[in-house]
CSV table of all heavy atoms in Angstrom, one decimal:
chain,number,residue,atom,x,y,z
A,1,PHE,N,-10.2,-27.1,3.5
A,1,PHE,CA,-10.5,-25.7,3.9
A,1,PHE,C,-9.3,-24.9,4.1
A,1,PHE,O,-9.2,-23.7,3.7
A,1,PHE,CB,-11.4,-25.7,5.1
A,1,PHE,CG,-12.7,-26.4,5.0
A,1,PHE,CD1,-13.1,-27.5,5.7
A,1,PHE,CD2,-13.6,-25.9,4.0
A,1,PHE,CE1,-14.3,-28.1,5.5
A,1,PHE,CE2,-14.9,-26.5,3.9
A,1,PHE,CZ,-15.2,-27.7,4.6
A,2,LEU,N,-8.3,-25.5,4.7
A,2,LEU,CA,-7.0,-24.8,4.9
A,2,LEU,C,-6.3,-24.6,3.5
A,2,LEU,O,-5.8,-23.5,3.3
A,2,LEU,CB,-6.1,-25.7,5.8
A,2,LEU,CG,-4.6,-25.1,6.0
A,2,LEU,CD1,-4.7,-23.7,6.6
A,2,LEU,CD2,-3.8,-26.1,6.9
A,3,ALA,N,-6.4,-25.6,2.7
A,3,ALA,CA,-5.8,-25.4,1.3
A,3,ALA,C,-6.5,-24.3,0.5
A,3,ALA,O,-5.8,-23.5,-0.2
A,3,ALA,CB,-5.8,-26.7,0.6
A,4,ALA,N,-7.8,-24.2,0.7
A,4,ALA,CA,-8.6,-23.2,-0.1
A,4,ALA,C,-8.2,-21.8,0.4
A,4,ALA,O,-8.0,-20.9,-0.4
A,4,ALA,CB,-10.1,-23.5,0.1
A,5,VAL,N,-8.1,-21.6,1.7
A,5,VAL,CA,-7.8,-20.3,2.2
A,5,VAL,C,-6.3,-20.0,2.0
A,5,VAL,O,-5.9,-18.8,1.7
A,5,VAL,CB,-8.2,-20.2,3.7
A,5,VAL,CG1,-7.7,-18.9,4.3
A,5,VAL,CG2,-9.7,-20.3,3.9
A,6,ALA,N,-5.5,-21.0,2.0
A,6,ALA,CA,-4.0,-20.8,1.7
A,6,ALA,C,-3.9,-20.3,0.3
A,6,ALA,O,-3.2,-19.3,0.0
A,6,ALA,CB,-3.3,-22.1,1.9
A,7,ALA,N,-4.6,-20.9,-0.7
A,7,ALA,CA,-4.5,-20.4,-2.0
A,7,ALA,C,-5.3,-19.1,-2.2
A,7,ALA,O,-4.8,-18.2,-2.8
A,7,ALA,CB,-5.1,-21.5,-3.0
A,8,GLY,N,-6.5,-19.0,-1.7
A,8,GLY,CA,-7.3,-17.8,-1.8
A,8,GLY,C,-6.7,-16.6,-1.2
A,8,GLY,O,-6.7,-15.5,-1.8
A,9,SER,N,-6.2,-16.7,0.0
A,9,SER,CA,-5.6,-15.6,0.7
A,9,SER,C,-4.3,-15.2,0.0
A,9,SER,O,-4.0,-14.0,-0.1
A,9,SER,CB,-5.3,-15.9,2.2
A,9,SER,OG,-4.4,-16.9,2.3
A,10,SER,N,-3.6,-16.1,-0.6
A,10,SER,CA,-2.4,-15.8,-1.3
A,10,SER,C,-2.8,-15.0,-2.6
A,10,SER,O,-2.1,-14.0,-2.9
A,10,SER,CB,-1.6,-17.1,-1.8
A,10,SER,OG,-1.1,-17.8,-0.6
A,11,VAL,N,-3.8,-15.4,-3.2
A,11,VAL,CA,-4.3,-14.7,-4.4
A,11,VAL,C,-4.7,-13.3,-4.1
A,11,VAL,O,-4.2,-12.3,-4.7
A,11,VAL,CB,-5.5,-15.4,-5.1
A,11,VAL,CG1,-6.2,-14.5,-6.1
A,11,VAL,CG2,-5.1,-16.7,-5.7
A,12,LEU,N,-5.5,-13.1,-3.1
A,12,LEU,CA,-6.0,-11.7,-2.7
A,12,LEU,C,-4.9,-10.9,-2.1
A,12,LEU,O,-4.8,-9.7,-2.3
A,12,LEU,CB,-7.2,-11.8,-1.8
A,12,LEU,CG,-8.5,-11.9,-2.4
A,12,LEU,CD1,-8.8,-10.7,-3.2
A,12,LEU,CD2,-8.7,-13.1,-3.3
A,13,THR,N,-4.0,-11.5,-1.3
A,13,THR,CA,-2.9,-10.8,-0.7
A,13,THR,C,-2.0,-10.3,-1.7
A,13,THR,O,-1.6,-9.1,-1.7
A,13,THR,CB,-2.1,-11.6,0.3
A,13,THR,OG1,-3.0,-12.0,1.4
A,13,THR,CG2,-0.9,-10.9,0.9
A,14,MET,N,-1.6,-11.1,-2.7
A,14,MET,CA,-0.8,-10.7,-3.8
A,14,MET,C,-1.4,-9.6,-4.7
A,14,MET,O,-0.8,-8.7,-5.1
A,14,MET,CB,-0.4,-11.9,-4.6
A,14,MET,CG,0.4,-13.0,-3.9
A,14,MET,SD,1.8,-12.2,-3.0
A,14,MET,CE,1.7,-13.1,-1.4
A,15,LEU,N,-2.7,-9.8,-4.9
A,15,LEU,CA,-3.5,-8.9,-5.8
A,15,LEU,C,-3.5,-7.5,-5.1
A,15,LEU,O,-3.2,-6.5,-5.7
A,15,LEU,CB,-4.9,-9.4,-6.0
A,15,LEU,CG,-5.7,-8.5,-7.0
A,15,LEU,CD1,-5.1,-8.5,-8.4
A,15,LEU,CD2,-7.1,-9.1,-7.1
A,16,PHE,N,-3.8,-7.5,-3.8
A,16,PHE,CA,-3.8,-6.2,-3.1
A,16,PHE,C,-2.4,-5.6,-2.9
A,16,PHE,O,-2.2,-4.4,-2.9
A,16,PHE,CB,-4.5,-6.3,-1.7
A,16,PHE,CG,-6.0,-6.6,-1.8
A,16,PHE,CD1,-6.6,-7.4,-0.9
A,16,PHE,CD2,-6.7,-6.0,-2.9
A,16,PHE,CE1,-8.0,-7.6,-1.0
A,16,PHE,CE2,-8.1,-6.3,-3.0
A,16,PHE,CZ,-8.7,-7.0,-2.0
A,17,TRP,N,-1.4,-6.5,-2.7
A,17,TRP,CA,0.0,-6.1,-2.7
A,17,TRP,C,0.4,-5.3,-4.0
A,17,TRP,O,1.2,-4.4,-3.9
A,17,TRP,CB,0.9,-7.3,-2.5
A,17,TRP,CG,1.2,-7.6,-1.0
A,17,TRP,CD1,0.6,-7.0,0.1
A,17,TRP,CD2,2.2,-8.5,-0.5
A,17,TRP,NE1,1.2,-7.6,1.2
A,17,TRP,CE2,2.1,-8.5,0.9
A,17,TRP,CE3,3.1,-9.3,-1.2
A,17,TRP,CZ2,3.0,-9.2,1.7
A,17,TRP,CZ3,3.9,-10.1,-0.4
A,17,TRP,CH2,3.9,-10.1,1.0
A,18,LEU,N,-0.2,-5.8,-5.1
A,18,LEU,CA,0.1,-5.2,-6.3
A,18,LEU,C,-0.2,-3.7,-6.3
A,18,LEU,O,0.5,-2.9,-7.0
A,18,LEU,CB,-0.7,-5.8,-7.4
A,18,LEU,CG,-0.4,-5.5,-8.9
A,18,LEU,CD1,1.0,-5.9,-9.3
A,18,LEU,CD2,-1.4,-6.2,-9.8
A,19,PHE,N,-1.1,-3.3,-5.5
A,19,PHE,CA,-1.5,-1.9,-5.3
A,19,PHE,C,-0.9,-1.3,-4.0
A,19,PHE,O,-1.3,-0.2,-3.6
A,19,PHE,CB,-3.0,-1.7,-5.4
A,19,PHE,CG,-3.6,-2.2,-6.6
A,19,PHE,CD1,-4.1,-3.5,-6.7
A,19,PHE,CD2,-3.6,-1.4,-7.8
A,19,PHE,CE1,-4.7,-4.0,-7.9
A,19,PHE,CE2,-4.1,-1.9,-9.0
A,19,PHE,CZ,-4.6,-3.2,-9.0
A,20,GLY,N,0.1,-2.0,-3.5
A,20,GLY,CA,0.8,-1.5,-2.3
A,20,GLY,C,1.5,-0.2,-2.5
A,20,GLY,O,1.8,0.6,-1.5
A,21,PHE,N,1.7,0.2,-3.8
A,21,PHE,CA,2.3,1.5,-4.1
A,21,PHE,C,1.5,2.6,-3.6
A,21,PHE,O,2.0,3.7,-3.3
A,21,PHE,CB,2.6,1.6,-5.6
A,21,PHE,CG,1.3,1.6,-6.4
A,21,PHE,CD1,0.6,2.8,-6.6
A,21,PHE,CD2,0.9,0.5,-7.1
A,21,PHE,CE1,-0.6,2.8,-7.4
A,21,PHE,CE2,-0.3,0.5,-7.9
A,21,PHE,CZ,-1.0,1.7,-8.0
A,22,LEU,N,0.2,2.4,-3.4
A,22,LEU,CA,-0.7,3.5,-2.9
A,22,LEU,C,-0.2,3.9,-1.5
A,22,LEU,O,-0.2,5.1,-1.1
A,22,LEU,CB,-2.1,3.0,-2.9
A,22,LEU,CG,-2.8,2.8,-4.2
A,22,LEU,CD1,-4.1,2.1,-4.1
A,22,LEU,CD2,-3.0,4.2,-4.9
A,23,ARG,N,0.2,2.9,-0.7
A,23,ARG,CA,0.7,3.2,0.7
A,23,ARG,C,2.1,3.7,0.6
A,23,ARG,O,2.4,4.7,1.2
A,23,ARG,CB,0.6,1.9,1.5
A,23,ARG,CG,1.2,2.2,3.0
A,23,ARG,CD,1.4,0.9,3.7
A,23,ARG,NE,2.4,0.0,3.1
A,23,ARG,CZ,3.7,0.2,3.3
A,23,ARG,NH1,4.1,1.2,4.0
A,23,ARG,NH2,4.6,-0.6,2.7
A,24,MET,N,3.0,3.0,-0.1
A,24,MET,CA,4.4,3.3,-0.2
A,24,MET,C,4.6,4.7,-0.8
A,24,MET,O,5.4,5.5,-0.3
A,24,MET,CB,5.2,2.2,-0.9
A,24,MET,CG,5.2,0.9,-0.1
A,24,MET,SD,6.2,-0.4,-1.0
A,24,MET,CE,5.1,-0.8,-2.4
A,25,GLY,N,4.0,4.9,-1.9
A,25,GLY,CA,4.2,6.2,-2.6
A,25,GLY,C,3.6,7.4,-1.8
A,25,GLY,O,4.2,8.4,-1.7
A,26,THR,N,2.5,7.1,-1.1
A,26,THR,CA,1.9,8.2,-0.3
A,26,THR,C,2.8,8.5,0.9
A,26,THR,O,3.0,9.7,1.2
A,26,THR,CB,0.5,7.7,0.2
A,26,THR,OG1,-0.3,7.4,-0.9
A,26,THR,CG2,-0.1,8.8,1.1
A,27,ILE,N,3.4,7.5,1.5
A,27,ILE,CA,4.4,7.8,2.6
A,27,ILE,C,5.5,8.6,2.2
A,27,ILE,O,5.8,9.7,2.8
A,27,ILE,CB,4.9,6.4,3.2
A,27,ILE,CG1,3.9,5.7,4.0
A,27,ILE,CG2,6.1,6.7,4.1
A,27,ILE,CD1,4.4,4.3,4.5
A,28,GLY,N,6.2,8.2,1.1
A,28,GLY,CA,7.4,8.9,0.7
A,28,GLY,C,7.1,10.4,0.3
A,28,GLY,O,7.8,11.3,0.8
A,29,VAL,N,6.1,10.6,-0.5
A,29,VAL,CA,5.8,11.9,-1.0
A,29,VAL,C,5.3,12.8,0.2
A,29,VAL,O,5.7,14.0,0.3
A,29,VAL,CB,4.8,11.9,-2.1
A,29,VAL,CG1,4.4,13.4,-2.6
A,29,VAL,CG2,5.3,11.1,-3.3
A,30,THR,N,4.5,12.3,1.0
A,30,THR,CA,4.0,13.0,2.2
A,30,THR,C,5.1,13.3,3.2
A,30,THR,O,5.2,14.5,3.7
A,30,THR,CB,2.9,12.2,2.9
A,30,THR,OG1,1.8,11.9,2.0
A,30,THR,CG2,2.4,13.0,4.1
A,31,ALA,N,6.0,12.4,3.4
A,31,ALA,CA,7.1,12.6,4.4
A,31,ALA,C,8.0,13.7,3.9
A,31,ALA,O,8.5,14.6,4.7
A,31,ALA,CB,7.9,11.3,4.6
A,32,ARG,N,8.3,13.7,2.6
A,32,ARG,CA,9.2,14.8,2.1
A,32,ARG,C,8.5,16.1,2.1
A,32,ARG,O,9.2,17.2,2.4
A,32,ARG,CB,9.7,14.4,0.6
A,32,ARG,CG,10.6,13.2,0.6
A,32,ARG,CD,11.3,13.0,-0.7
A,32,ARG,NE,10.3,12.6,-1.8
A,32,ARG,CZ,9.9,11.4,-2.0
A,32,ARG,NH1,10.2,10.4,-1.3
A,32,ARG,NH2,9.0,11.2,-3.0
A,33,ALA,N,7.2,16.2,1.8
A,33,ALA,CA,6.5,17.4,1.9
A,33,ALA,C,6.4,17.9,3.3
A,33,ALA,O,6.6,19.1,3.6
A,33,ALA,CB,5.1,17.3,1.3
A,34,TRP,N,6.2,17.0,4.3
A,34,TRP,CA,6.1,17.4,5.7
A,34,TRP,C,7.5,17.9,6.1
A,34,TRP,O,7.6,18.9,6.9
A,34,TRP,CB,5.7,16.1,6.5
A,34,TRP,CG,5.5,16.3,7.9
A,34,TRP,CD1,6.2,15.7,9.0
A,34,TRP,CD2,4.5,17.1,8.6
A,34,TRP,NE1,5.7,16.1,10.2
A,34,TRP,CE2,4.7,17.0,10.0
A,34,TRP,CE3,3.5,17.9,8.1
A,34,TRP,CZ2,3.9,17.6,10.9
A,34,TRP,CZ3,2.7,18.5,9.0
A,34,TRP,CH2,2.8,18.4,10.4
A,35,GLY,N,8.6,17.3,5.7
A,35,GLY,CA,9.9,17.8,6.0
A,35,GLY,C,10.2,19.1,5.5
A,35,GLY,O,10.9,19.9,6.1
A,36,ALA,N,9.6,19.4,4.3
A,36,ALA,CA,9.8,20.8,3.7
A,36,ALA,C,8.8,21.8,4.3
A,36,ALA,O,8.9,23.0,3.9
A,36,ALA,CB,9.6,20.6,2.2
A,37,GLY,N,7.9,21.4,5.2
A,37,GLY,CA,7.0,22.3,5.8
A,37,GLY,C,5.8,22.6,4.9
A,37,GLY,O,5.1,23.6,5.1
A,38,ASP,N,5.5,21.8,3.9
A,38,ASP,CA,4.4,22.1,2.9
A,38,ASP,C,3.2,21.3,3.3
A,38,ASP,O,2.9,20.2,2.7
A,38,ASP,CB,4.9,21.8,1.5
A,38,ASP,CG,4.0,22.2,0.4
A,38,ASP,OD1,2.8,22.7,0.7
A,38,ASP,OD2,4.3,22.2,-0.8
A,39,THR,N,2.4,21.8,4.2
A,39,THR,CA,1.2,21.1,4.6
A,39,THR,C,0.1,21.0,3.5
A,39,THR,O,-0.7,20.0,3.5
A,39,THR,CB,0.6,21.7,5.9
A,39,THR,OG1,0.3,23.1,5.6
A,39,THR,CG2,1.5,21.7,7.1
A,40,SER,N,0.1,22.0,2.7
A,40,SER,CA,-0.9,22.0,1.6
A,40,SER,C,-0.6,20.8,0.7
A,40,SER,O,-1.5,20.1,0.2
A,40,SER,CB,-0.8,23.3,0.8
A,40,SER,OG,-1.7,23.2,-0.3
A,41,ARG,N,0.7,20.6,0.4
A,41,ARG,CA,1.0,19.4,-0.5
A,41,ARG,C,0.7,18.1,0.2
A,41,ARG,O,0.3,17.1,-0.4
A,41,ARG,CB,2.5,19.5,-0.8
A,41,ARG,CG,3.0,18.3,-1.6
A,41,ARG,CD,2.3,18.2,-2.9
A,41,ARG,NE,2.9,17.1,-3.7
A,41,ARG,CZ,2.2,16.4,-4.6
A,41,ARG,NH1,0.9,16.7,-4.8
A,41,ARG,NH2,2.7,15.4,-5.3
A,42,CYS,N,0.9,18.1,1.5
A,42,CYS,CA,0.6,16.8,2.3
A,42,CYS,C,-0.9,16.5,2.1
A,42,CYS,O,-1.2,15.3,1.9
A,42,CYS,CB,0.8,17.0,3.8
A,42,CYS,SG,2.6,17.2,4.2
């Protein structure tokens, strides 16, 4: 059971990490827009 979740959680964690750019890209672009005072862009 531990081996199954070790493998399964690794698979899903890595798969979801693949789309971690959604968080990282959103932070960077939002932070720069916020610094420039552009709330509409945020």
Side-chain angles (χ1 to χ4, degrees):
F1 296 119
L2 175 57
V5 173
S9 62
S10 294
V11 168
L12 270 300
T13 298
M14 297 310 135
L15 186 60
F16 290 149
W17 268 10
L18 190 61
F19 300 98
F21 63 82
L22 292 167
R23 180 191 64 79
M24 294 183 286
T26 302
I27 288 177
V29 178
T30 302
R32 292 191 294 278
W34 185 244
D38 189 350
T39 56
S40 178
R41 177 60 179 151
C42 291

